[in-house]
Amino acid sequence: MEYVYAALLLHAAGKEITEENLKKVLEAAGVGADEARIKALVAALEGVNIDEVIEKAAMPVAAPAAVAAAPAAAEAPAEAAEEEEEEEEEEKEEEALAGLGALFG
């Protein structure tokens, strides 16, 4: 986990995520740097838009006043959102099964 945190720290500081930079951050934090893990992380992050990934992973948080002000108005969209989530889960399951089928024939 500390390797990912180091990469995020470098990204937040506007620095390039390289093996050398990751190693420096890890050593500064007192973490023994494993060369294989560093290489794997740098390779995994190659071509990844970290800002986009963070944006997709972040859950929106509603202001407490807004939530308290309109509970009835939120019921219909909440039901629609639940249905969409169920459909998305079903699609993901189907994709996963298709991927497994491709692996095992």
Side-chain angles (χ1 to χ4, degrees), residues 6 14 34 46 48 51 60 66 76 97:
D34 179 3
E46 191 172 311
V48 173
D51 290 322
L97 291 174

Side-chain angles (χ1 to χ4, degrees), residues 35-89:
E35 294 291 328
R37 285 178 139 184
I38 291 173
K39 286 182 183 205
L41 179 60
V42 171
L45 292 176
E46 191 172 311
V48 173
N49 183 336
I50 295 174
D51 290 322
E52 189 176 298
V53 172
I54 291 171
E55 184 178 312
K56 286 181 181 178
M59 296 182 66
V61 179
V67 172
E75 286 180 18
E79 290 174 8
E82 286 178 18
E83 289 177 14
E84 287 180 24
E85 286 178 21
E86 288 176 9
E87 289 175 10
E88 288 176 10
E89 283 184 33

Side-chain angles (χ1 to χ4, degrees), residues 95-105:
E95 289 175 7
L97 291 174
L100 287 174
L103 286 175
F104 297 108

